[in-house]
Amino acid sequence: MKITVFNGSPSGRNSATNVIADSFLKGAESAGAETHNIFLCEKHIKHCSGCFSCWFKTPGKCVYHDDMPELLNLYNSSDIVCFATPVYTWNYTAYLKNFVDRLAPLKSPLVNENHGNFDLADTKPREQRFMVIANCGFPGDNNFEVMHTSFACCHPFLEIYRNCGKLLKSTNEDIKKIVNEYLKAVQQAGFETVMGDISEETQERLNMPLMSVADYIKYIGMG
């Protein structure tokens, strides 16, 4: 099994998002998976111009010469694709949005309808499964609602949404103990993903609180 994370954080390898993604991939690797961790901020990806050449003039091929062909090959060859991002203004980052826009060559100019929902047809059946990893610097889960809706079209089998995200890189020893317990659950989720299904126990641990809302607001100095 091949699992690839496409991380849209501007902080790349040093991001809180990568703290989660790295733990998930470690768990997957321990179960025998081949893993790839891609930091989109390190890639040269031009913005889609909406010329539709990849549909009509050169089907499946973009007019731009950048890093996307390599990334598309990795995307297509992966059994599981993970979109990873911090929350920026209620949604995923511009780096990830730009990457998703450039997936246009995988679509064709044919409209599909499914129970009143309309979308473009894929050039070939999608065989990979999808998941989402996101963290937010605010408490609560409401900041993930737009993102959840945005990714609904790819029917993710797993969505790891981590509020109070600023705790993930804390150097406070007491906080690190709590965060490490959470990351053990993330690692277990990676292991169980490769082995089959994620248990209810692991899913519950993925949603564990890291700190009370009142204490967290004090911690980030925004109270």
Side-chain angles (χ1 to χ4, degrees):
M1 177 181 288
K2 181 190 290 188
I3 302 176
T4 301
V5 172
F6 293 98
N7 188 331
S9 174
S11 298
R13 300 173 189 273
N14 297 318
S15 64
T17 302
N18 189 44
V19 172
I20 306 172
D22 186 60
S23 292
F24 183 87
L25 292 179
K26 284 180 180 177
E29 288 170 1
S30 70
E34 172 188 345
T35 67
H36 299 266
N37 201 359
I38 304 301
F39 302 99
L40 297 175
C41 65
E42 299 177 0
K43 301 297 181 179
H44 176 49
I45 305 174
K46 294 184 179 180
H47 294 277
C48 177
S49 62
C51 68
F52 305 119
S53 293
C54 63
W55 294 352
F56 300 108
K57 293 183 179 180
T58 55
K61 185 176 180 180
C62 182
V63 296
Y64 292 130
H65 301 286
D66 54 14
D67 290 337
M68 275 306 293
E70 166 199 345
L71 297 179
L72 283 176
N73 286 336
L74 188 55
Y75 178 96
N76 283 328
S77 64
S78 296
D79 299 293
I80 294 176
V81 168
C82 174
F83 299 110
T85 178
V87 175
Y88 274 29
T89 317
W90 311 298
N91 212 333
Y92 49 96
T93 64
Y95 278 109
L96 185 55
K97 181 62 167 66
N98 189 41
F99 172 74
V100 172
D101 286 347
R102 289 290 305 280
L103 298 177
L106 303 181
K107 294 289 186 177
S108 62
L110 299 173
V111 176
N112 276 345
E113 186 270 336
N114 184 14
H115 301 293
N117 297 313
F118 296 88
D119 196 1
L120 293 171
D122 296 315
T123 55
K124 61 179 182 179
R126 288 187 301 187
E127 297 181 355
Q128 66 265 77
R129 295 192 296 160
F130 298 90
M131 59 172 290
V132 180
I133 289 175
N135 88 93
C136 181
F138 289 98
D141 294 327
N142 62 296
N143 288 287
F144 298 109
E145 291 176 0
V146 173
M147 192 178 301
H148 172 73
T149 301
S150 296
F151 284 116
C153 60
C154 69
H155 308 292
F157 72 92
L158 175 64
E159 295 169 273
I160 300 177
Y161 293 140
R162 179 69 270 167
N163 56 32
C164 301
K166 289 187 178 295
L167 298 175
L168 293 170
K169 297 178 67 179
S170 175
T171 58
N172 179 288
E173 291 301 323
D174 290 333
I175 294 174
K176 285 171 66 175
K177 290 178 182 178
I178 299 171
V179 169
N180 286 339
E181 285 302 310
Y182 166 71
L183 294 178
K184 287 179 182 178
V186 175
Q187 191 166 334
Q188 181 66 21
F191 178 85
E192 292 179 2
T193 292
V194 177
M195 299 304 294
D197 296 318
I198 298 173
S199 67
E200 290 185 9
E201 178 185 355
T202 298
Q203 188 65 63
E204 289 178 4
R205 290 170 62 206
L206 290 175
N207 297 321
M208 67 177 282
L210 302 183
M211 184 179 285
S212 71
V213 172
D215 287 342
Y216 182 70
I217 291 175
K218 288 180 181 178
Y219 175 81
I220 61 176
M222 299 181 71

